């Protein structure tokens, strides 16, 4: 039997099939045909990804789940046809939704809820009259497979304002005029329904294949890492620095930019800093990052006190939109400058984990690493000194692998 995980990420999409033992049996990838955000190009991408799988794999698919970028949403009519172009995860046109309590993850200019409110306030009344479903990217794609609109999971719905602790929409949210657009929310990896017969027939997939709820792309990447129990954490060294830790309790702490996703009986607590690879890429090419890192003496301190940001504003572990970048003094020697950047980014990561533990997450036992910076052994060594926690390599870094595990029911802390 095979289980299919499909990831719609920021730059492209990927599908990974695994067997009952979590071994990868097939993998396909596809770039979006259009640079502009467009649901039709997502649909084409989904069909291409499935089409590219060998027929021998397709014939044995038992379950499928899809993850998408968090807070990428569409407004659809009652037939699930988009009434608008999608608004992407980083679209901040709406500004901060002031009626949302500051402790809610929906209290952000880029939240799904902020986008829904923007549509409500800006679309022509003829369009609004047809609006029926507010749909996350993963849910829109998943619906193409199962045909039961209006269902989401509590990871995608977090930035809509859904409360994963009470498993309900809070009263302040249900009092809003967009209330009728909100989806029914269930757990990630839960059964929705069998695949639609016409889709099954078109791709040679068994008609008993079950479509399950997915999650967000960053949670899927966490699931892919191999992190499996309380105290397991994943640091993503991508364009930004993102920390996630499995904790027995939820932590929501606005001053530190910490929020929590539910994962079965556990909580994924953490936050995203604006420091990270985007700052490194501003000063160095990938080749320079490799060659200069090799020349850093990690037994010595750089002696530089930085807060590496590209622009004003930080989210985590200090939530301060006015925090200014600190990148001076800049030494003439690029090796020392890079040393200072990596050392101070490691200190920000360490502060992040310290804040999580101080707020009750429990001990951090081991840290998996993902993202473009994971290959940098010098950074690894600096992080190891700053954190004092064992660093372990990720089992997989592809979000599609984590979503395949969700489809297969192989995530130990989510049982259905
Ligand atoms: P994302 O998906 O968040 O855009 P990736 O996980 O693809 O990012 O990682 C890209 C980042 O990795 C770039 O910003 C780059 O600075 C960083 N990177 C690439 N190679 C290295 C390296 N050798 N050392 C440190 N950082 C690196």
């Amino acid at each position: 039997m095979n289980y299919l995980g499909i990831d719609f990420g920021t730059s492209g999409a990927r599908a990974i099939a695994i067997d009952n033992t979590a071994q990868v049996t097939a993998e396909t990838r596809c770039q979006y045909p259009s640079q502009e955000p467009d649901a039709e190009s997502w649909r084409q991408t989904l069909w291409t990804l499935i089409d590219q799988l060998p027929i021998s794999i397709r014939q044995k698919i038992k379950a499928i789940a899809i993850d998408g970028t968090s807070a990428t949403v569409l407004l659809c009519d009652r037939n699930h046809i988009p009434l608008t172009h999608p608004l992407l995860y980083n679209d901040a046109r709406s500004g901060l939704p002031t009626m949302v309590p500051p402790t809610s993850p929906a209290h952000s200019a880029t939240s799904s809820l902020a986008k829904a409110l923007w549509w409500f306030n800006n679309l022509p009344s003829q369009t609004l009259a047809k609006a029926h479903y507010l749909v996350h990217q993963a849910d829109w794609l998943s619906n193409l497979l199962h045909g039961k609109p209006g269902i989401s999971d509590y990871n995608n719905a977090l930035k809509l304002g859904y409360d994963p602790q009470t498993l309900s929409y809070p009263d302040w949210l249900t009092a809003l005029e967009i209330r009728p657009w909100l989806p029914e929310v269930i757990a990630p990896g839960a059964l929705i329904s069998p695949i639609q017969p016409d889709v099954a027939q078109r791709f040679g997939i068994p008609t008993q294949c079950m479509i399950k709820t997915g999650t967000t792309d960053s949670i899927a990447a966490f699931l892919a890492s191999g992190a499996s129990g309380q105290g397991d954490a994943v640091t993503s060294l991508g364009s930004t620095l993102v920390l996630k830790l499995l904790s027995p309790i939820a932590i929501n702490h606005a001053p530190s930019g910490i929020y929590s996703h539910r994962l079965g009986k556990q909580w994924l607590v953490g936050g995203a800093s604006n420091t990270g690879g985007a700052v490194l890429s501003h000063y160095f090419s990938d080749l320079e990052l490799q060659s200069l890192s090799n020349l850093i003496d990690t037994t010595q301190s750089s002696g530089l006190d930085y807060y590496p940001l590209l622009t004003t504003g930080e989210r985590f572990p200090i939530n301060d939109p006015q925090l200014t970048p600190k990148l001076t003094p800049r030494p003439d020697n690029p090796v020392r400058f890079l040393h200072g950047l990596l050392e101070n980014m490691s200190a920000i990561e360490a502060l992040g984990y310290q804040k999580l533990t101080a707020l009750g997450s429990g001990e951090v036992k081991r840290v998996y690493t993902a993202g473009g910076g994971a290959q940098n052994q010098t950074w690894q060594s600096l992080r190891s000194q700053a954190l004092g926690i064992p660093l372990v390599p990720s089992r997989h870094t592809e979000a599609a692998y984590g979503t395949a595990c969700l489809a297969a029911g192989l995530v130990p802390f989510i049982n259905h």
Side-chain angles (χ1 to χ4, degrees):
M1 276 303 154
N2 279 275
Y3 302 89
L4 188 62
I6 300 179
D7 164 53
F8 275 71
T10 45
S11 55
R14 190 172 291 213
I16 290 182
I18 61 171
D19 63 17
N20 293 323
T21 64
Q23 296 302 309
V24 174
T25 54
E27 191 170 346
T28 64
R29 60 178 74 188
C30 183
Q31 295 304 312
Y32 301 125
S34 152
Q35 291 303 314
E36 292 304 309
D38 169 35
E40 192 44 48
S41 87
W42 297 346
R43 184 204 307 261
Q44 283 174 34
T45 304
L46 177 64
W47 297 155
T48 306
L49 284 173
I50 300 177
D51 236 351
Q52 287 171 353
L53 291 168
I55 183 70
S56 57
I57 298 288
R58 280 185 261 150
Q59 284 168 337
K60 290 194 220 126
I61 298 177
K62 205 172 169 196
I64 304 176
I66 302 181
D67 72 77
T69 50
S70 174
T72 293
V73 283
L74 283 162
L75 190 62
C76 294
D77 70 10
R78 63 174 59 248
N79 297 316
H80 225 238
I81 298 181
L83 292 166
T84 59
H85 281 294
L87 290 183
L88 293 191
Y89 60 98
N90 56 357
D91 193 307
R93 71 183 68 193
S94 60
L96 200 63
T98 45
M99 79 289 283
V100 178
T103 46
S104 168
H107 183 83
S108 146
T110 55
S111 73
S112 317
L113 180 60
K115 288 163 186 149
L117 294 168
W118 189 86
W119 276 323
F120 189 82
N121 293 322
N122 290 278
L123 287 178
S125 53
Q126 313 90 286
T127 311
L128 280 178
K130 291 188 214 150
H132 203 79
Y133 295 112
L134 182 71
V135 190
H136 303 101
Q137 180 185 37
D139 302 328
W140 192 78
L141 287 155
S142 182
N143 180 73
L144 295 174
L145 304 179
H146 61 68
K148 302 236 175 315
I151 300 176
S152 190
D153 64 88
Y154 53 60
N155 296 154
N156 269 299
L158 190 77
K159 290 184 182 165
L160 198 51
Y162 183 82
D163 183 345
Q165 280 181 288
T166 58
L167 294 176
S168 62
Y169 288 111
D171 292 344
W172 60 261
L173 181 50
T174 53
L176 299 177
E177 284 174 288
I178 56 128
R179 165 76 186 99
W181 300 352
L182 299 177
E184 177 195 344
V185 178
I186 55 179
L191 289 177
I192 300 177
S193 86
I195 191 166
Q196 301 201 76
D198 57 329
V199 182
Q201 193 183 10
R202 172 175 171 185
F203 293 104
I205 296 171
T207 47
Q208 311 89 300
C209 169
M210 296 304 297
I211 309 304
K212 299 187 176 182
T213 43
T215 180
T216 65
D217 59 348
S218 58
I219 292 188
F222 180 91
L223 300 178
S225 69
S228 58
Q230 202 179 306
D232 281 356
V234 177
T235 295
S236 175
L237 304 175
S239 306
T240 57
L241 174 79
V242 184
L243 272 55
K244 285 189 162 60
L245 167 67
L246 269 178
S247 152
I249 60 161
I251 303 174
N252 293 293
H253 190 251
S256 311
I258 295 171
Y259 63 94
S260 299
H261 271 288
R262 188 177 185 134
L263 276 179
K265 292 193 170 60
Q266 305 246 19
W267 294 89
L268 204 46
V269 301
S273 165
N274 289 342
T275 198
V279 184
L280 299 176
S281 296
H282 183 74
Y283 294 102
F284 303 102
S285 68
D286 282 3
L287 270 180
E288 284 170 334
L289 286 174
Q290 271 176 28
S291 56
L292 297 176
S293 294
N294 289 336
L295 302 175
I296 292 173
D297 178 359
T298 57
T299 62
Q300 305 288 317
S301 161
S302 72
L304 297 164
D305 178 23
Y306 289 161
Y307 203 104
L309 297 172
L310 282 182
T311 51
T312 299
E314 173 62 308
R315 297 173 289 168
F316 165 86
I318 303 158
N319 187 5
D320 179 2
Q322 305 308 329
L323 192 80
T324 46
K326 188 163 186 298
L327 289 157
T328 52
R330 181 169 171 181
D332 293 335
N333 180 348
V335 177
R336 183 155 172 245
F337 182 50
L338 179 60
H339 189 176
L341 292 174
L342 295 177
E343 195 176 66
N344 284 280
M345 284 182 191
S346 304
I348 294 170
E349 182 185 359
L351 177 65
Y353 284 120
Q354 278 159 22
K355 286 215 169 172
L356 292 173
T357 30
L359 289 164
S361 68
E363 186 197 356
V364 187
K365 295 188 184 133
R366 52 184 177 172
V367 179
Y368 292 83
T369 310
Q375 54 185 304
N376 187 322
Q377 290 309 315
T378 306
W379 197 354
Q380 190 92 337
S381 160
L382 293 168
R383 293 173 58 225
S384 181
Q385 292 172 43
L387 294 171
I389 304 165
L391 298 179
V392 287
S394 287
R395 173 181 57 170
H396 280 275
T397 54
E398 292 298 341
Y401 181 84
T403 302
C405 292
L406 205 52
L410 290 173
V411 177
F413 35 88
I414 300 185
N415 294 313
H416 292 291

